[in-house]
Amino acid sequence: MITQRLITDTVCRLYKQAAIKLPDDVKSALKKAEEIEENDIAKLNLQSILKNISLAEEKSIPMCQDTGLPIIFVKLGKVEVENLEEAIIEGVKKATEETPLRTNVVDPLTRVNTGNNIGKGIPQINVELSDKPELEITVFPKGFGSENNNKMKMLLPGEGIDGIKEFFTESVLSAGGKPCPPTLIGVGIGGSSDMVMKLAKKALLRPVGTYNEDPRLEKLEKELLEIANSTGIGPMGLGGKTTTLDVKVELADTHTAGLPVGICVQCWAARHATEILRDE
């Protein structure tokens, strides 16, 4: 059995790691953006971001004051697991205290802070079933400087690819410098209104610089990235070559009468950490 204690300790460790250390693929993309930048202000902004990342690792402190809303992705395979939900909740509490993390979770109406990053429906736990003999846990702390710039639209089927591109362009321009670019952008297509936003968010877990295996979606990812960077919004919204480091597209089939599209924006601090546990 994969014990409750092991899951709790794993979630705590992953949350600390995600808050403090940016994944290597994101760091490499930021370094490349700095190398090719010709705008002095944009170059300075990217250098400041890279220095921030380095100092966070060196001092073992969160790279951003907004340590995010606790979102957990779980792939539950053919293993016996003890008290999964309770274990994850305790892991978030433990990480909040030990890292420490800013307490971000509040009642949406009264704005009263829960004080431990736990609340009604939070952490958000997304469970996907798997045939593998393992439990995969991904901690994805989502800051709201970027989350506040997400968009969802129920397009009509006839709007097609052109409609998706138009909505994407509107979303990038509307976000401007608010989500602390250079961003990563996940795009969900299909499913239902709630499913399409989850697809967009899950897309952000794929490594920077990789493409969807579906040739149609690979082509669309490249086209959308070009659209985003052609805006000239640039790092921190002050102009430059790189507004977006990468665009990821995920697709699900949908109803004959609809074309849901979701846009999930992530700031340069594209934090997430994953570990696989096995019943040995």
Side-chain angles (χ1 to χ4, degrees), residues 83-95:
N83 300 331
L84 179 61
E85 183 179 19
E86 186 177 341
I88 291 172
I89 289 171
E90 289 305 311
V92 172
K93 285 183 182 178
K94 188 176 180 183

Side-chain angles (χ1 to χ4, degrees), residues 112-256:
V112 173
N113 196 303
T114 65
N116 58 7
N117 279 323
I118 302 299
K120 188 173 184 179
I122 302 296
Q124 180 183 328
I125 303 172
N126 305 279
V127 179
E128 177 183 333
L129 300 180
S130 166
D131 288 331
K132 296 181 180 179
E134 61 191 31
L135 175 69
E136 181 179 300
I137 300 174
T138 298
V139 173
F140 183 93
K142 189 66 166 65
F144 265 53
S146 58
E147 187 77 357
N148 284 337
N149 291 280
N150 291 352
K151 304 286 184 185
M152 195 282 291
K153 189 172 184 179
M154 302 297 289
L155 297 181
L156 297 175
E159 295 181 79
I161 294 289
D162 288 342
I164 293 170
K165 290 180 181 178
E166 183 178 346
F167 176 51
F168 177 85
T169 304
E170 291 171 359
S171 300
V172 172
L173 292 173
S174 172
K178 291 178 286 186
C180 295
T183 58
L184 281 88
I185 302 177
V187 179
I189 302 173
S192 58
S193 58
D194 55 330
M195 183 181 182
V196 79
M197 291 307 298
K198 186 176 289 187
L199 284 171
K201 191 155 287 176
K202 282 182 66 178
L204 294 171
L205 300 177
R206 285 170 41 210
V208 176
T210 62
Y211 299 105
N212 196 296
E213 294 178 356
D214 184 329
R216 302 171 303 163
L217 302 186
E218 176 182 353
K219 181 174 183 288
L220 183 58
E221 287 173 340
K222 292 175 179 178
E223 290 173 344
L224 295 179
L225 180 59
E226 185 176 344
I227 288 171
N229 287 328
S230 70
T231 63
I233 292 168
M236 306 310 289
L238 297 175
K241 285 187 173 182
T242 308
T243 298
T244 300
L245 298 172
D246 211 352
V247 176
K248 303 296 185 189
V249 179
E250 292 294 330
L251 176 146
D253 286 346
T254 190
H255 190 280
T256 184

